[in-house]
Amino acid sequence: MRVLVVGSGGREHALVWKLARSARVGQMLVAPGNAGTAAIAENVAVPASDVAGLLRLAVERKIDFVVVGPEVPLSLGLVDALEEAGIAAFGPTRGAARLEASKSFAHQIMADCGVPCAASRVFEDVAAARAYLETLEPPYVVKADGLAAGKGAIIAGTLGEAFSAVDDMLVKRVFGESGDRVVIEQYLSGKEVSLLAFTDGVHVAPMVPSCDYKRAYDGDQGPNTGGMGCYSPPGFFDADLVRQATDTVMLPVVRAMAASGCTYKGVLYAGLMVDGDSIRVLEFNARFGDPETQVILPRLDSDLLEVLLSCHDGALEPSSLHWKVGCSVGVVVASGGYPGHYEKGRVIGGLHDVDPAVAVFHAGTRLDDAGRVVTDGGRVLNVVATGLTMADARERAYDGVARLHFDGMMYRTDIALREVL
C-alpha cells in the first residue's frame, strides 16, 4: 500500500517508524515530515494545514491510505475531503473532531451521556467571566475553547491570575479565534493519566495508559508546554481502571457521537483525573497524543497498519490488539527558551552515539544545506527507551539523552522518577 502520514513532529516520526514495520506498507510519504522521517520515508513539503495541497498530493501520488497526525488538519476537514475523493483516511471527520476543537462541545456531549467530568461554564464576555470567577475558590481553571497547541489551559492560583488568563484570551487574543470563548472549569485534584483508544465508531480498544508532563521544568514548575516527556504504564492506573474508563468514558462518548449522526472513527484520547477509584475527564483529544504516542507505539505488539485499517473499515476487534510486557520512558529534548522564544538552526550532535535499541524520534528538526540535522522547533527530539522495569527504561532513556548535544539544549530530569522512588 502507498501510505501518506500527515504531520512533522515526534508523533509522526513514531507513526512512520511503526508503520514501516508492516509488511503491507510499500511506498510511504510524509507531509511535511522532519529530518527523522526523511531517513525512513519520502518527505514532501506540503504543510499539515494545507488541506487542498494534501488532497492534491494524495491524488497525484495515488495514495491508498492517509494517516493524519495533528489536530489542525482534522479540525479543518482533511478526512472529509479525502473520503469525498475516494481516498481512505484514518482520523475523525471535522464534525467528530469537535471533541477536541471545542471544549464546550465536548462538555455538552459528556453531559448528554453522563460521562463524569468537571463542572464548567462558557463565557464570551469578560465581565461575566470575571463575575463568575469571583464566586469560586482557588485554584481556578481557565481554558481557551478552541485549539491552542496544548497551551490553552491555565491553572491560576490567584483570582488576579485567573482574570489575566481571561483577558489574555478574550481581550488580547493570544490564542486567536481559539480564545473567542473561554471555559471556566471546576478544579479537579488527583493524578492525571492519558488513556488513548482506537475506535471504529462502534467498538473501542484501549491502548496502554501513559502519563505526560506538561510543565517546562522539573517538579512541574514553569509554563505549560506541548509535553516534556511521558512514560507507560503508570503504577496507579491498573487494568481494572482501564476497563472502568473504557466503560464509563470511551464507550458512552463513541455511542453518543454515533447517535448524534456524527460517527467517531480514529483515536479518542481522554485526559483523565484519577482519585482512588474515581475517574473524571479533563479533556478529549481527537488524535494520537504527543508525546504519548512515542512511548505507546514501542509497546504495541500488533501490526499498526492493520489496526488503523480495521478502524476505518468498521471492523475493529479489541481482542486482536497485543501489547509487550514492560515499560517505556520518553524524554523530550527541547530548545532553550521553549515554550517562549528559542533559536533554530542549531546543529545536533551525538545522534549516532545513542544505543540503537533506544529510539530517537525527531520532532523539530530539519536537514540544512550541508545535510546536517539541525533544530527547527521548540521540542526537538524524543528519546524513548523500553525495559522490563521503569527504572531500567528510565536509565536507558537518560543515557540516550546524555549522548546528545546542541547549543541551548534543555530537558526535564524527572520524567518517570515518581515511579521508581
Side-chain angles (χ1 to χ4, degrees):
M1 295 185 72
R2 290 181 293 273
V3 176
L4 168 63
V5 175
V6 175
S8 63
R11 164 185 49 219
E12 287 72 37
H13 189 185
L15 286 166
V16 170
W17 171 83
K18 192 66 174 179
L19 287 167
R21 284 154 171 75
S22 172
R24 292 186 63 186
V25 172
Q27 185 182 27
M28 188 153 44
L29 278 63
V30 191
N34 56 43
T37 60
I40 309 174
E42 177 188 348
N43 286 355
V44 184
V46 179
S49 59
D50 184 358
V51 171
L54 291 166
L55 177 60
R56 186 164 54 250
L57 172 65
V59 171
E60 291 175 353
R61 299 296 293 269
K62 295 181 172 58
I63 297 298
D64 298 305
F65 193 52
V66 179
V67 179
V68 185
E71 61 272 25
V72 171
L74 293 172
S75 70
L76 293 175
L78 176 58
V79 169
D80 309 64
L82 290 164
E83 295 284 353
E84 287 173 11
I87 300 170
F90 178 82
T93 61
R94 181 174 186 169
R98 285 180 296 166
L99 275 176
E100 176 171 7
S102 172
K103 294 178 180 63
S104 56
F105 174 79
H107 272 282
Q108 186 59 57
I109 287 291
M110 287 188 284
D112 290 346
C113 60
V115 168
C117 62
S120 67
R121 292 274 300 275
V122 182
F123 297 92
E124 298 178 6
D125 178 74
V126 174
R130 285 184 168 225
Y132 179 65
L133 283 167
E134 288 177 338
T135 69
L136 305 178
E137 297 292 329
Y140 309 90
V141 180
V142 182
K143 297 181 177 180
D145 184 53
L147 300 176
K151 303 170 188 173
I154 308 300
I155 300 177
T158 68
L159 191 58
E161 291 172 353
F163 284 173
S164 294
V166 169
D167 289 345
D168 284 345
M169 295 175 194
L170 293 179
V171 180
K172 298 179 182 177
R173 304 188 57 76
V174 296
F175 298 116
E177 293 182 359
S178 293
D180 282 350
R181 298 194 294 177
V182 299
V183 179
I184 298 176
E185 293 184 0
Q186 166 196 13
Y187 177 78
L188 299 179
S189 60
K191 297 178 179 179
E192 291 189 39
V193 65
S194 300
L195 184 63
L196 285 66
F198 296 106
T199 179
D200 61 0
V202 176
H203 307 97
V204 170
M207 303 183 209
V208 289
S210 59
C211 285
D212 77 328
Y213 291 72
K214 290 295 187 187
R215 298 284 187 169
Y217 312 129
D218 284 7
D220 290 328
Q221 300 298 306
N224 271 342
T225 71
M228 292 298 293
C230 195
Y231 69 88
S232 174
F236 63 87
F237 201 74
D238 60 17
D240 287 339
L241 288 175
V242 170
R243 282 191 290 271
Q244 180 182 329
T246 302
D247 292 342
T248 63
V249 175
M250 301 302 207
L251 279 167
V253 167
V254 168
R255 289 167 179 162
M257 293 295 288
S260 72
C262 194
T263 299
Y264 189 104
K265 293 184 178 183
V267 170
L268 180 59
Y269 166 147
L272 305 173
M273 184 64 78
V274 183
D275 187 5
D277 59 359
S278 170
I279 299 174
R280 287 184 284 182
V281 176
L282 292 169
E283 64 176 356
F284 284 118
N285 291 329
R287 35 71 190 184
F288 282 102
D290 187 340
E292 290 89 351
T293 302
Q294 292 91 304
V295 300
I296 289 173
L297 290 186
R299 297 193 59 204
L300 179 63
D301 209 20
S302 301
D303 185 313
L304 178 61
L305 179 63
E306 297 292 353
V307 176
L308 303 188
L309 287 170
S310 71
C311 290
H312 173 270
D313 296 340
L316 177 65
E317 295 183 8
S319 62
S320 68
L321 264 71
H322 301 287
W323 299 92
K324 298 175 183 177
V325 174
C327 305
S328 56
V329 174
V331 181
V332 170
V333 177
S335 297
Y338 174 76
H341 174 75
Y342 53 84
E343 301 292 334
K344 296 182 180 182
R346 305 293 177 86
V347 177
I348 302 171
L351 289 167
H352 298 295
D353 298 328
V354 178
D355 181 347
V358 174
V360 180
F361 296 122
H362 291 229
T365 68
R366 63 178 174 85
L367 296 173
D368 68 7
D369 294 339
R372 301 175 300 181
V373 179
V374 300
T375 65
D376 196 43
R379 293 188 295 172
V380 178
L381 301 166
N382 300 263
V383 182
V384 180
T386 57
L388 290 179
T389 67
M390 194 69 71
D392 180 40
R394 186 174 187 277
E395 180 180 356
R396 296 176 67 223
Y398 275 105
D399 176 76
V401 171
R403 296 173 187 274
L404 301 169
H405 51 88
F406 59 84
D407 290 345
M409 174 173 145
M410 62 172 274
Y411 57 92
R412 284 184 58 157
T413 66
D414 60 351
I415 306 302
L417 182 61
R418 63 191 180 215
E419 293 287 338
V420 301
L421 290 177

